[in-house]
Amino acid sequence: MTKKAFTLIASFLISYLGANAQSSANLVQYINPFIGTGAVDASSLSGSNFPGATTPFGLVQLSPDTQDNPDNPASGYDYNDKTIVGFSHTHLSGTGVADLFDILFMPTTGKIYTTPGTSENPETGYRSRFSHSQESAKAGYYQVKLLDYNINAELTATEHAGFHRYTFPQGSDAHVIIDLNHSLNKKRSYWSCRIIDAQIRQVNDRTIEGFRIITGWAQLRKVYFYAEFSKPITSNEMVSGNHIYNNNTIVNGTNIRAALNFDTKDATPLLIKVGLSENSIANAKENLNAEISNWNFDGIVKEAQAKWEKELDKIKIEGTTEQKQIFYTGLYHAFTQPNNLADVNGDYMGADYALHKAKDKTDYSTFSLWDTYRAANPLYTLIQPKRTAGFIRSMMRQYETYGYLPIWQLWGEENYCMIGNHAIPVIVDAALKGIKGFDINEAYEAIKASSTVSHPGSPFDVWTKYHYMPEDLQSQSVSITLEMSFDDWCVAQLAKKLGKTADYNEFMQRSNNYKNLFDKSTGFFRAKDANGKWVSPFNPLDYGGNGGNPYTEGNAWQYLWYVPQNVPELINLLGGKAAFANKLDSFFTIKDLPKEVNGNASGFIGQYAHGNEPSHHITYLYNDAGQPWKTQYYVADVLNTLYNNSSSGYSGNEDCGQMSAWYIFSSMGFYPVNPASGIYEIGSPILKKASIQLASGKTFTVNTKNASEVNVYIQTVTLNGKPYNKTFITQKDIDNGGTLNFVMGAQPNKRWGVAQ
């Protein structure tokens, strides 16, 4: 063979193998941003996800809003709606409560409208009809045809900036509306959303800047923007309330908009770059210049997709196309937040509303901890250890300025939504797994202080006095008692690791407080008053919401199983393994009446409600009862019937990655029932293969043979080639790397996983 021939063949092989490697690693193709954006009917929950453009853990989520005053779904976009109001730059993913929707842009033609109109009469405002047949979305990109204006709108994003591309009909009267009054519903009864102040300023014929200060779910948020246009602004209308000012350079007020006019004699699209900051216009400009230095829209799309590809590559799976779409869209949703609010120079607003500087250039927020501590945060500790350290450093900053760790932190501010102190298990889980990047002793002092300083939802003086929460002193008392008992167990584990024996003993004792609300006569945890008397009447099917009932977004049936720190003791309380399993059987089969169901509950299998978090660990409890085949049956049932790749792909609110994390873990075959224990209960894997790329460079691989919707039962298991009969694996097993093999079948093997 000649040297030239060898070179040509080598070049061909390199090119061929490179192309195929790239093809096999193209995981972003499986992201479907429309999953979870709209329920199939009004009686179910939608997932509350948005389809617009974002980057992993970025500040900006540039997405369409189909409602003028978004409320439900909280993402602002409902797949069932027929009109789009505009494109705002910040959104929440999968939450049950709406907020953000900052700095709305909307391109229009023809008559200038400065109010949005209504969905019933879109022609009365700048709103436009759209069709899903002329709408598309992928990682880092969104596109829609605005039918009333014949405008093709495209969106992409970087961490701190949005990038718009509007293709107007040539020769049309082209406008871009900027609406700083667009927000969540200002008429909500349980808080008052209002614009405190806002400003739009035209700097020159290609630049607009401004800000708004708004209070809502997160109080007193400041949002600054700096926008550059690829074409000159020929004229404008500035609007404040009912007053219109032609060709003003500035408008201020609490209800302001602007209509910017452009020449469309040539057919080139209008490009708009918008930088955001929570700190200043100058920082918004710096963010924009740092991240989008040119007008290459398609290049920014490719950059966003490359960032997503890097994150998705942490777990590689084999399965059906639908399974890949659900799995990788789940990772996409899980990595959409927490969001880095710090500017590129490290500036961030602290919980004390003062300007601070982060040396690591990150300050994360959107901590939906009541949801995510269960599985999403353990997923982060597994495949995002550096990010996890960043999350904890950000949580510590709240402690340093505010006095305790986050409960539900949004836009850097504590909003006290939900119960418990679930930054605690997140920090303890990371510390026990050896994640570096934060001071473990300082973290311990923070979690201890956060377990002793009373604040809304956690009155520790009451906890210390009664050793349970009396319902007449603290609503949601049963749920709070159970969840705080778990948090105290977590504090005890880190105290033990650090050799703090007295603290360990104290918090272990507190972790048993749940027993004080167990009623042997009914077999449930139920409420007591401050005199120690049971609160009557009692019906275990009655649902609570977020106050006025002993249970939080659930009922006595669902909270019966919440003792993840000590399932063996819970089994003893219920009379042993047989009685425990019988009670579980009843739980999964008893029906209740629709009128008794709380609005957050959906995805029912008996009393099990997969659409909300209190149920998420319960399918795995049969393992502890000595009947693992029932865990396998119900886990497979949830995986195969309560997830799909459509707009109604979730059985409830996706809740900042928690619903997705349940699927990601469970589809691989295991789940963290106790999210701070380093133990994963085995369920029923449905993926042919899953390879977890660990930060150490090692790989943990799960292979599943014969998995199908029929073959849901484990026949045999091997770990690193050796027979394995335990119903759980440990963090150490994963960290060591290796291979876990499952063989599945249509009938249960009642000998596997049961002590012989």
Side-chain angles (χ1 to χ4, degrees):
M1 181 182 293
T2 66
K3 183 177 181 181
K4 181 178 181 181
F6 177 83
T7 302
L8 288 172
I9 292 173
S11 177
F12 170 79
L13 287 173
I14 291 171
S15 176
Y16 175 83
L17 293 172
N20 278 272
Q22 183 178 6
S23 175
S24 64
N26 182 20
L27 303 178
V28 292
Q29 67 178 306
Y30 298 111
I31 292 177
N32 177 5
F34 290 110
I35 292 178
T37 58
V40 292
D41 59 67
S43 64
S44 59
L45 299 179
S46 69
S48 198
N49 297 107
F50 62 83
T54 191
T55 56
F57 307 102
L59 167 67
V60 167
Q61 304 85 35
L62 180 53
S63 189
D65 293 335
T66 59
Q67 301 173 8
D68 179 39
N69 297 292
D71 187 357
N72 185 25
S75 65
Y77 178 96
D78 190 330
Y79 194 83
N80 300 300
D81 288 340
K82 305 300 182 184
T83 62
I84 284 175
V85 176
F87 310 106
S88 59
H89 288 75
T90 59
H91 292 82
L92 290 171
S93 178
T95 56
V97 177
D99 206 351
L100 307 185
F101 313 111
D102 297 305
I103 322 301
L104 181 136
F105 279 53
M106 180 63 172
T108 67
T109 61
K111 181 180 178 180
I112 297 176
Y113 291 97
T114 54
T115 57
T118 65
S119 57
E120 295 78 13
N121 298 293
E123 67 278 2
T124 61
Y126 59 72
R127 183 192 302 262
S128 175
R129 292 170 299 157
F130 75 107
S131 169
H132 296 307
S133 65
Q134 298 184 71
E135 180 189 35
S136 63
K138 58 185 178 182
Y141 175 82
Y142 173 85
Q143 172 275 329
V144 68
K145 191 69 170 289
L146 299 174
L147 299 179
D148 288 331
Y149 305 117
N150 194 26
I151 296 171
N152 190 51
E154 299 171 274
L155 312 173
T156 188
T158 63
E159 283 80 356
H160 298 86
F163 205 168
H164 307 240
R165 182 163 66 186
Y166 300 148
T167 303
F168 292 90
Q170 190 171 357
S172 62
D173 295 326
H175 325 291
V176 174
I177 309 299
I178 302 177
D179 189 342
L180 298 195
N181 189 53
H182 178 72
S183 72
L184 74 150
N185 194 325
K186 297 182 179 68
K187 297 180 180 179
R188 293 184 73 104
S189 60
Y190 43 92
W191 59 69
S192 176
C193 172
R194 61 190 178 93
I195 311 296
I196 297 172
D197 198 9
Q199 181 185 96
I200 300 173
R201 180 194 298 267
Q202 182 170 336
V203 178
N204 54 49
D205 66 351
R206 291 177 183 262
T207 307
I208 298 287
E209 64 185 25
F211 66 87
R212 77 169 179 179
I213 303 172
I214 181 173
T215 185
W217 187 19
Q219 298 183 36
L220 196 62
R221 291 191 308 110
K222 298 179 181 181
V223 188
Y224 300 87
F225 74 95
Y226 182 87
E228 296 180 348
F229 298 79
S230 64
K231 294 183 178 183
I233 301 166
T234 59
S235 62
N236 73 54
E237 289 185 7
M238 299 284 191
V239 182
S240 179
N242 297 321
H243 300 283
I244 299 176
Y245 309 98
N246 290 308
N247 295 316
N248 258 27
T249 59
I250 193 169
V251 64
N252 298 285
T254 58
N255 180 7
I256 66 171
R257 301 178 179 89
L260 312 178
N261 304 318
F262 297 88
D263 189 339
T264 60
K265 291 179 181 178
D266 65 73
T268 59
L270 173 66
L271 301 175
I272 310 171
K273 303 185 294 187
V274 184
L276 258 60
S277 169
E278 64 167 348
N279 298 303
S280 69
I281 291 174
N283 280 18
K285 180 180 180 180
E286 184 179 0
N287 290 341
L288 178 61
N289 291 337
E291 295 178 356
I292 310 179
S293 60
N294 54 43
W295 294 98
N296 186 354
F297 181 92
D298 294 325
I300 297 300
V301 173
K302 291 179 181 178
E303 287 181 15
Q305 291 185 330
K307 292 170 184 174
W308 280 113
E309 187 72 29
K310 179 182 178 181
E311 301 304 330
L312 300 188
D313 193 55
K314 298 178 188 299
I315 306 180
K316 295 180 180 178
I317 68 168
E318 295 180 17
T320 67
T321 298
E322 181 179 15
Q323 288 171 343
K324 290 179 180 179
Q325 289 176 341
I326 298 170
F327 188 95
Y328 285 116
T329 303
L331 279 179
Y332 171 80
H333 285 149
F335 296 165
T336 297
Q337 66 289 297
N339 309 108
N340 178 23
L341 270 60
D343 294 320
V344 294
N345 63 10
D347 286 351
Y348 73 94
M349 183 192 73
D352 57 356
Y353 294 96
L355 185 66
H356 299 264
K357 182 80 74 173
K359 293 181 180 179
D360 59 4
K361 305 295 179 66
T362 62
D363 187 65
Y364 292 97
S365 191
T366 318
F367 290 123
S368 182
L369 291 164
W370 184 81
D371 306 295
T372 62
Y373 85 94
R374 306 165 195 264
N377 284 104
L379 180 66
Y380 300 145
T381 60
L382 185 62
I383 59 175
Q384 294 279 3
K386 290 184 179 180
R387 299 269 190 189
T388 295
F391 301 159
I392 293 173
R393 290 195 298 270
S394 299
M395 293 178 189
M396 291 290 294
R397 292 185 187 120
Q398 174 171 319
Y399 165 69
E400 291 163 2
T401 58
Y402 210 64
Y404 42 85
L405 293 163
I407 299 166
W408 211 126
Q409 191 202 78
L410 177 60
W411 206 262
E413 303 170 26
E414 183 57 64
N415 62 33
Y416 301 109
C417 185
M418 306 312 298
I419 62 172
N421 297 85
H422 298 317
I424 292 171
V426 170
I427 293 173
V428 171
D429 179 47
L432 296 181
K433 289 175 181 174
I435 288 181
K436 308 299 183 183
F438 64 96
D439 188 302
I440 190 172
N441 289 291
E442 291 180 359
Y444 177 74
E445 292 306 314
I447 67 172
K448 180 181 177 181
S450 298
S451 301
T452 55
V453 177
S454 294
H455 50 80
S458 297
F460 286 107
D461 52 341
V462 176
W463 186 239
T464 302
K465 179 178 180 179
Y466 294 95
H467 307 293
Y468 66 91
M469 288 295 182
E471 180 66 17
D472 52 339
L473 301 181
Q474 177 61 54
S475 182
Q476 306 176 72
S477 60
V478 176
S479 295
I480 293 175
T481 296
L482 292 167
E483 295 193 23
M484 285 176 56
S485 294
F486 171 69
D487 290 338
D488 284 344
W489 179 88
C490 293
V491 179
Q493 305 317 299
L494 190 52
K496 181 179 180 180
K497 178 180 177 66
L498 296 176
K500 299 179 183 293
T501 304
D503 285 356
Y504 170 76
N505 291 332
E506 176 187 352
F507 281 98
M508 280 300 290
Q509 183 177 2
R510 282 174 44 162
S511 76
N512 288 315
N513 283 352
Y514 69 90
K515 297 179 184 179
N516 296 323
L517 292 186
F518 185 74
D519 177 13
K520 292 182 179 179
S521 67
T522 62
F524 290 95
F525 294 107
R526 56 180 294 198
K528 285 181 179 177
D529 62 21
N531 295 319
K533 296 182 179 179
W534 297 115
V535 175
S536 296
F538 172 70
N539 180 353
L541 294 175
D542 286 344
Y543 270 81
N546 299 97
N549 187 284
Y551 305 96
T552 302
E553 297 186 8
N555 64 16
W557 269 108
Q558 288 150 11
Y559 266 96
L560 171 61
W561 315 103
Y562 192 83
V563 190
Q565 72 274 23
N566 198 344
V567 177
E569 182 57 29
L570 177 61
I571 290 173
N572 289 336
L573 286 177
L574 290 174
K577 289 186 176 182
F580 183 82
N582 288 337
K583 194 96 172 186
L584 275 172
D585 291 342
S586 297
F587 173 74
F588 282 104
T589 54
I590 288 178
K591 306 287 185 181
D592 63 355
L593 299 175
K595 67 179 181 179
E596 295 174 328
V597 177
N598 172 262
N600 285 291
S602 57
F604 281 96
I605 303 174
Q607 286 299 298
Y608 179 86
H610 191 70
N612 208 23
E613 281 68 26
S615 290
H616 274 192
H617 67 293
I618 303 174
T619 53
Y620 287 88
L621 295 181
Y622 280 110
N623 284 353
D624 293 276
Q627 299 181 15
W629 61 91
K630 291 183 180 178
T631 279
Q632 295 155 33
Y633 172 83
Y634 284 114
V635 168
D637 192 16
V638 174
L639 285 167
N640 291 318
T641 65
L642 296 179
Y643 291 86
N644 63 66
N645 60 351
S646 75
S647 66
S648 58
Y650 298 110
S651 58
N653 292 327
E654 203 273 341
D655 284 323
C656 293
Q658 171 57 27
M659 194 74 73
S660 292
W662 191 97
Y663 183 93
I664 290 164
F665 273 121
S666 296
S667 66
M668 294 191 294
F670 49 91
Y671 183 82
V673 168
N674 178 339
S677 67
I679 294 174
Y680 303 87
E681 294 290 334
I682 290 175
S684 179
I686 62 172
L687 300 174
K688 183 178 180 180
K689 185 176 182 178
S691 295
I692 304 172
Q693 314 299 319
L694 303 171
S696 65
K698 295 181 180 179
T699 301
F700 184 76
T701 300
V702 181
N703 295 308
T704 305
K705 185 178 181 181
N706 300 331
S708 70
E709 292 190 17
V710 174
N711 296 333
V712 303
Y713 296 106
I714 294 173
Q715 305 301 299
T716 61
V717 181
T718 61
L719 178 61
N720 298 326
K722 298 180 180 179
Y724 194 80
N725 201 50
K726 298 177 183 178
T727 60
F728 62 89
I729 58 172
T730 67
Q731 185 67 34
K732 185 177 181 180
D733 293 327
I734 296 175
D735 288 342
N736 288 338
T739 303
L740 183 67
N741 289 323
F742 292 95
V743 176
M744 310 299 289
Q747 298 297 324
N749 174 7
K750 296 185 178 181
R751 294 178 60 84
W752 180 84
V754 179
Q756 303 298 319

